[in-house]
């Protein structure tokens, strides 16, 4: 993973200890954003995506691209 520190902007490296995440070499800030932790969606959150017009248009675009590749 390649992350930049949210505090100082320096390059962060993966920690080598039991605490998962990145550690900033400059300020010592720890981060788990790149790991995707705390990003699990429950059923209600997933169901609400069907009403998202942006997501719907992106999915339609991908579907149409896939269809045009088959022709």
């Amino acid at each position: 993973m390649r992350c930049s520190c949210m505090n100082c902007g320096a390059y962060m490296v993966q920690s080598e200890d039991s605490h998962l995440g990145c550690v900033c070499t400059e300020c010592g800030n720890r981060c788990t954003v790149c790991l995707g932790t705390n990003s699990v969606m429950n059923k209600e959150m997933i169901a609400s995506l069907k009403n998202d017009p942006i997501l719907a248009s992106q999915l339609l675009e991908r579907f149409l691209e896939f269809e045009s590749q088959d022709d």
Side-chain angles (χ1 to χ4, degrees), residues 6 25 43 70:
M6 290 185 204
T25 57
K43 289 181 182 181
D70 286 346

Side-chain angles (χ1 to χ4, degrees), residues 28-41:
N29 180 46
R30 292 177 93 60
C31 176
T32 58
V33 172
C34 65
L35 298 176
T37 55
N38 297 329
S39 62
V40 177
M41 298 174 71

Side-chain angles (χ1 to χ4, degrees), residues 6-67:
M6 290 185 204
N7 289 335
C8 69
Y11 177 73
M12 295 178 75
V13 296
Q14 290 288 313
S15 66
E16 296 291 328
D17 58 15
S18 62
H19 186 315
L20 295 176
C22 296
V23 179
C24 179
T25 57
E26 297 295 318
C27 70
N29 180 46
R30 292 177 93 60
C31 176
T32 58
V33 172
C34 65
L35 298 176
T37 55
N38 297 329
S39 62
V40 177
M41 298 174 71
N42 62 30
K43 289 181 182 181
E44 291 78 23
M45 292 169 72
I46 294 170
S48 72
L49 292 176
K50 72 178 181 180
N51 300 322
D52 185 340
I54 295 171
L55 181 61
S57 68
Q58 289 176 346
L59 289 173
L60 180 59
E61 282 180 32
R62 286 189 179 183
F63 177 75
L64 293 174
E65 285 175 14
F66 181 74
E67 287 287 311

